[in-house]
Amino acid sequence: MTLLKKLQWSFGLLLFFFVLPVIAGQLPFNKQASTPIKQPEDQPVVYAATNLTEQSVLEETKEETKEETKDPFKVLLLFTHSQESYQPMVKAVSGKAANYDEKTNIYNLQDAISKHFSMNGIQTDVLEVDVMKELKLKGKSFPDSYNTVRPYLSKRLQEQSYDLVIDLHRDSAKRNATTITHNNESYARIAIVVGAEHKNYRWNTAYAESLSASMNEIVPKISRGVISKSGDNVDGRYNQDLTKEMILIELGGIDNTEEELNRSIAVIGKAIAKSFVTEKQE
């Protein structure tokens, strides 16, 4: 073999070993074998994002449920002088003017009161007893009203608890004392009576004064204030000894119209919410 041929053969051999790795790298089976298998990775980001959304919804649902399950502010209404009436209302129905009526009276205002109270987040129950009808059936007189309603009220308070108990009455005063005009609309004025001869007197007075102040903030001077009663020829307790959350409200007088009464009932509802409901729900 000549020297030239030996050089050519050696050069070819070197070239073969040089290009062999390149050729081997292009082969499919070699590429797969030389590439390490990547293990599947966990994807906590997506999972965590889903959890955050679900958690947010869950927290919102809890808050909504918490709001829904809050105990409502509960008021019990009773009408010790259940057949006290307003002359304009009686006259519109029967054509006669009367201060007491078996059908058209303060007791019939309970639906309007419940409606306005409900609009202010107040749940209203009514002590369903026509006290003055009971007096007639039992042959008793007007001064026996509070003793007649007392067992009914006592039983209800033993069965259920209330945030406020209101005994609704109509004052005997004339129009000039029981009517006020505000923003060109007339309202029946309101007085709150507290009996001063029992253990709950100071508690009842505190409730009454708070409500009176709130009413006057809504309509100036709509409340005639808190009247404390004691001594001869008055009851002195008005069954307010049964619970410290009880007050007696004189709603307007004999000359007030249904429209004036409704406006004032709306004010009472707003004032209760302002004085007591917000505080309870905080």
Side-chain angles (χ1 to χ4, degrees):
M1 181 180 296
T2 64
L3 180 59
L4 180 60
K5 285 187 178 288
K6 286 182 178 180
L7 289 172
Q8 289 176 341
W9 185 85
S10 298
F11 180 79
L13 187 61
L14 288 171
L15 183 62
F16 172 78
F17 283 110
F18 179 79
V19 300
L20 181 61
V22 178
I23 296 171
Q26 299 301 316
L27 295 175
F29 62 88
N30 282 334
K31 186 176 182 180
Q32 291 176 354
S34 63
T35 304
I37 298 174
K38 187 176 182 180
Q39 296 296 327
E41 296 180 357
D42 293 335
Q43 298 184 11
V45 175
V46 175
Y47 181 72
T50 303
N51 271 353
L52 286 173
T53 302
E54 292 175 352
Q55 183 69 19
S56 177
V57 172
L58 181 61
E59 291 300 325
E60 289 177 5
T61 302
K62 285 181 178 179
E63 287 301 318
E64 290 174 0
T65 302
K66 186 178 178 181
E67 290 292 329
E68 291 173 359
T69 56
K70 279 183 178 178
D71 291 335
F73 190 90
K74 295 177 64 176
V75 170
L76 176 64
L77 298 179
L78 66 146
F79 302 84
T80 299
H81 294 159
S82 53
Q83 293 181 12
E84 288 179 328
S85 62
Y86 302 87
Q87 290 188 9
M89 293 176 65
V90 177
K91 192 171 184 179
V93 174
S94 64
K96 63 180 182 179
N99 295 340
Y100 295 90
D101 191 82
E102 293 182 356
K103 296 181 179 179
T104 308
N105 48 52
I106 193 170
Y107 189 69
N108 299 140
L109 294 178
Q110 58 182 270
D111 289 340
I113 296 170
S114 297
K115 178 182 176 181
H116 283 291
F117 281 17
S118 177
M119 291 170 63
N120 288 280
I122 303 164
Q123 179 181 315
T124 308
D125 288 351
V126 178
L127 190 66
E128 299 282 357
V129 53
D130 187 337
V131 181
M132 296 185 73
K133 183 177 180 180
E134 289 289 308
L135 290 176
K136 293 176 183 178
L137 291 174
K138 296 176 180 179
K140 295 184 177 181
S141 60
F142 195 81
D144 294 317
S145 300
Y146 292 99
N147 287 332
T148 299
V149 76
R150 187 177 179 86
Y152 295 98
L153 176 59
S154 179
K155 184 174 185 294
R156 176 64 67 87
L157 294 177
Q158 289 172 8
E159 296 170 345
Q160 298 185 45
S161 61
Y162 292 93
D163 298 293
L164 189 63
V165 180
I166 303 176
D167 189 3
L168 265 293
H169 292 252
R170 181 264 301 141
D171 202 333
S172 59
K174 300 292 288 183
R175 183 172 182 82
N176 61 340
T178 65
T179 312
I180 192 169
T181 301
H182 177 69
N183 290 340
N184 297 319
E185 289 189 322
S186 56
Y187 294 78
R189 296 189 73 193
I190 297 156
I192 306 178
V193 178
V194 176
E197 297 177 348
H198 60 91
K199 61 182 180 180
N200 290 327
Y201 165 66
R202 295 190 181 279
W203 282 101
N204 302 140
T205 301
Y207 275 86
E209 289 178 345
S210 178
L211 185 60
S212 177
S214 292
M215 287 191 292
N216 282 336
E217 287 177 6
I218 298 168
V219 175
K221 297 184 179 180
I222 190 172
S223 173
R224 296 160 57 196
V226 178
I227 302 169
S228 177
K229 291 283 188 81
S230 63
D232 297 336
N233 301 318
V234 298
D235 187 274
R237 62 178 186 175
Y238 303 106
N239 289 321
Q240 293 166 0
D241 59 310
L242 295 177
T243 177
K244 63 185 182 182
E245 298 89 2
M246 185 172 175
I247 57 176
L248 187 157
I249 288 181
E250 298 273 10
L251 177 60
I254 56 176
D255 296 318
N256 286 114
T257 66
E258 186 172 4
E259 292 77 13
E260 291 165 345
L261 295 169
N262 278 325
R263 293 186 191 110
S264 297
I265 289 169
V267 171
I268 295 172
K270 291 176 183 177
I272 291 173
K274 184 179 179 65
S275 295
F276 311 122
V277 178
T278 303
E279 178 181 338
K280 179 183 178 182
Q281 293 181 347
E282 288 179 347

